[in-house]
Amino acid sequence: MSLDQLYQQIILDHSKARHGSGLAAMEAPDGTSTGQSHQLNPVCGDEVTLRLAVRDGKVAQVAWDGAGCSISMASASVLTDLAEGMTVAELHKVIDSFREVLRSRGKVQADPELLGDAAAFEGVARYAARVKCAMISWVAAEDALNQAA
């Protein structure tokens, strides 16, 4: 299996089995501060509401609800898996790296050590119309993180 095929499979798997999906089920653990952000891409209709809880400088929980294309939903799912347990500073670094890769139009390669499964979205950078799809949940996470921290 080539790297491109593996990355495509990761995106397909996450778009079908959406990790972290379900805001109604999220009850912030005691001792946490929370942030929530709703983001909408009016061009294509992707929509995400993401909530996260921070305790002692670490992301304790992430949950989201959304509707949109497979790229936007898979990206939110991957973000959820990646973010939980990270420090606030680590998550900011990962968000910045993800943004840099996606805005590079294919010139910046994703670091799988830093981005984990989010590196699968590297190919999206070559399609300007899809960058916002992949970024929408990450923008929501950044906003919610700033509220909670």
Side-chain angles (χ1 to χ4, degrees):
M1 179 180 281
S2 75
L3 190 58
D4 284 342
Q5 289 171 321
L6 175 63
Y7 281 175
Q8 287 176 345
Q9 193 59 50
I10 289 169
I11 292 170
L12 288 172
D13 290 349
H14 275 276
S15 70
K16 292 176 186 169
R18 300 174 179 178
H19 303 178
S21 180
L23 275 179
M26 179 182 169
E27 291 187 26
D30 289 338
T32 62
S33 58
T34 61
Q36 179 171 310
S37 180
H38 176 80
Q39 300 292 320
L40 171 67
N41 181 351
V43 174
C44 68
D46 290 340
E47 191 168 0
V48 171
T49 301
L50 184 139
R51 184 180 311 141
L52 58 76
V54 174
R55 178 185 9 209
D56 300 327
K58 286 191 171 187
V59 178
Q61 192 174 21
V62 180
W64 60 277
D65 276 329
C69 69
S70 61
I71 289 174
S72 66
M73 299 297 98
S75 187
S77 177
V78 167
L79 169 64
T80 300
D81 286 351
L82 195 60
E84 288 184 353
M86 284 188 165
T87 67
V88 169
E90 289 169 338
L91 184 52
H92 275 298
K93 182 178 179 181
V94 168
I95 291 169
D96 289 344
S97 177
F98 190 73
R99 179 180 288 119
E100 179 185 20
V101 169
L102 285 181
R103 290 186 176 168
S104 76
R105 302 219 179 216
K107 294 180 180 134
V108 175
Q109 288 190 323
D111 177 0
E113 293 292 319
L114 178 63
L115 293 177
D117 281 353
F121 295 88
E122 177 182 290
V124 172
R126 294 187 302 266
Y127 306 98
R130 305 306 295 209
V131 168
K132 284 187 178 183
C133 301
M135 279 300 304
I136 192 168
S137 59
W138 296 73
V139 170
E142 185 173 47
D143 184 30
L145 191 60
N146 288 336
Q147 293 173 32

